[in-house]
Amino acid sequence: SYQKRTEEYLREIANAESTYGRDTTTNKKTSNIVGPWQVGMGDNQAYTEIKRRLEVYEKDRKNGKTNPRYSPLRKNLDKFKAKSWGKDINWENLSKRELMNPLVNATIARLYISTIDNKPIPDTKEGRARLWVDSYNTSADKKGTYDYYMSKNP
């Protein structure tokens, strides 16, 4: 099912990105990439990209346009606002410290995945590895290869 593939993909990403947050580079004070899913707050990184996509959606909505690519993002974000584990979380203005929270980090990673080029999460680990290399990771990451992903997720 799609839910099972999503859960597998999120687990695989957390393992490839940070060994489930146990990697020594996770949450370094000098980095703007944090958490088990290594969500970045810099230019062209996941959290910043989500905020940019929300701005595009809101601008289009105000101009009477529909944006099928980003409307699920708004709908899902509204769901998360309603279910924020008993906390008042401003999803559109997170601090680095808040983004380090594994639940918040996973949520942002999931929202980012939901808008990646409108590509479905593949059924196979090989397909998910290719999606991770093409759409989640960056070429700046020396470990961001298909072989690395597969070795971390045997």
Side-chain angles (χ1 to χ4, degrees):
S1 74
Y2 184 77
Q3 182 175 350
K4 185 174 176 2
R5 285 193 318 267
T6 302
E7 290 169 7
E8 287 173 336
Y9 191 42
L10 282 169
R11 276 193 302 276
E12 291 167 2
I13 289 171
N15 193 26
E17 291 285 337
S18 70
T19 314
Y20 302 106
R22 293 188 306 262
D23 190 287
T24 57
T25 62
T26 304
N27 296 334
K28 281 199 173 259
K29 289 181 182 180
T30 57
S31 178
N32 66 348
I33 301 172
V34 297
W37 287 269
Q38 293 292 275
V39 172
M41 300 177 83
D43 291 342
N44 299 314
Q45 293 178 331
Y47 181 58
T48 308
E49 182 61 15
I50 285 173
K51 291 190 333 182
R52 186 196 67 79
R53 291 173 184 181
L54 285 168
E55 288 171 7
V56 168
Y57 171 77
E58 292 300 331
K59 182 180 175 188
D60 285 351
R61 190 177 62 78
K62 286 178 184 171
N63 291 327
K65 298 178 186 175
T66 58
N67 191 325
R69 183 171 179 193
Y70 300 146
S71 58
L73 179 61
R74 169 52 63 200
K75 184 176 83 178
N76 288 330
L77 186 61
D78 289 344
K79 272 192 227 173
F80 287 122
K81 278 184 177 179
K83 299 176 182 180
S84 295
W85 314 289
K87 298 179 180 183
D88 185 20
I89 298 172
N90 182 349
W91 291 99
E92 294 170 62
N93 194 26
L94 294 172
S95 69
K96 181 177 175 179
R97 183 168 181 78
E98 289 169 320
L99 198 52
M100 288 178 180
N101 176 310
L103 291 172
V104 172
N105 201 258
T107 301
I108 295 300
R110 178 62 189 103
L111 288 170
Y112 183 68
I113 290 166
S114 74
T115 62
I116 294 177
D117 304 326
N118 290 332
K119 294 178 183 175
I121 296 171
D123 292 326
T124 66
K125 191 176 299 180
E126 294 80 5
R128 291 188 298 273
R130 282 189 287 281
L131 182 63
W132 176 74
V133 168
D134 294 342
S135 301
Y136 191 88
N137 208 318
T138 69
S139 58
D141 184 355
K142 294 176 186 168
K143 295 178 182 177
T145 66
Y146 174 88
D147 290 338
Y148 180 78
Y149 186 96
M150 294 300 288
S151 73
K152 290 291 286 187
N153 296 292

